[in-house]
Amino acid sequence: MAEKIRIKYLSDKIEQLRYIDGKSDWIDLRAAEEIQLKAGEFKLIPLGIAMELPTGYEAHIVPRSSTFKTYGVIQTNSMGIVDETYCGDNDQWFFPAYALRDTEIHVNDRICQFRIMKHQPVLEFTAVEKLENEDRGGLGSTGRQ
């Protein structure tokens, strides 16, 4: 059975959320206003939605694979996290964009995507002198010499 999530659309100019052609369980988010950025400028781009996430869940927001190529912007925090406490009528989601070239983003352009995840379980860390696994060779290694 599907989880039910209450969503408030803060713009009537963007398409409502939906899965795209069954290709992925990520859901696209759209710009809710016209944006013009010059190279080196930063802007919080409104996404035109607010949501009540279920208790114990959070949304992970990342750029679409085509966002940089199409618009020349990167997400300044690499990945955004929205937890279930950010759930009021005016708790609009935003995409923090930094322009690497002059660009225009139009209302309803798909600029990022999100998925909803359960919170990480409580973890307990135990310090040890040695890990009981074979070394792979360190950062960036496939483990082959």
Side-chain angles (χ1 to χ4, degrees):
M1 184 161 87
E3 290 277 350
K4 298 211 185 278
I5 297 183
R6 293 169 40 96
I7 182 168
K8 180 177 180 182
Y9 289 93
L10 303 169
S11 170
D12 60 0
K13 296 176 183 162
I14 60 170
E15 287 185 30
Q16 292 194 353
L17 298 185
R18 62 184 171 87
Y19 290 106
I20 303 298
D21 302 325
K23 294 179 182 178
S24 173
D25 62 353
W26 289 79
I27 300 167
D28 289 338
L29 294 166
R30 299 167 181 274
E33 68 180 44
E34 295 289 321
I35 302 292
Q36 291 187 350
L37 290 167
K38 299 286 185 198
E41 288 184 335
F42 169 80
K43 170 91 173 152
L44 287 173
I45 300 175
L47 299 173
I49 61 165
M51 275 190 224
E52 289 180 1
L53 297 177
T55 300
Y57 285 80
E58 61 195 24
H60 295 186
I61 304 169
V62 298
R64 297 181 75 241
S65 60
S66 61
T67 299
F68 178 74
K69 178 183 165 208
T70 304
Y71 303 106
V73 298
I74 58 174
Q75 185 172 349
T76 58
N77 56 348
S78 300
M79 180 174 86
I81 306 290
V82 176
D83 69 23
E84 75 271 24
T85 65
Y86 193 71
C87 60
D89 276 345
N90 295 306
D91 288 336
Q92 179 167 206
W93 292 16
F94 290 87
F95 180 79
Y98 180 77
L100 295 169
R101 62 174 165 83
D102 293 358
T103 191
E104 290 183 5
I105 299 171
H106 302 288
V107 170
N108 214 40
D109 282 350
R110 296 181 298 154
I111 58 170
C112 56
Q113 59 191 335
F114 80 101
R115 73 181 317 168
I116 295 174
M117 307 284 293
K118 283 187 176 184
H119 288 301
Q120 178 171 279
V122 175
L123 304 171
E124 181 180 319
F125 298 96
T126 303
V128 297
E129 292 295 322
K130 180 169 177 28
L131 299 174
E132 300 299 326
N133 298 294
E134 182 180 332
D135 285 340
R136 290 193 50 212
L139 179 65
S141 171
T142 60
R144 296 187 194 127
Q145 303 259 347

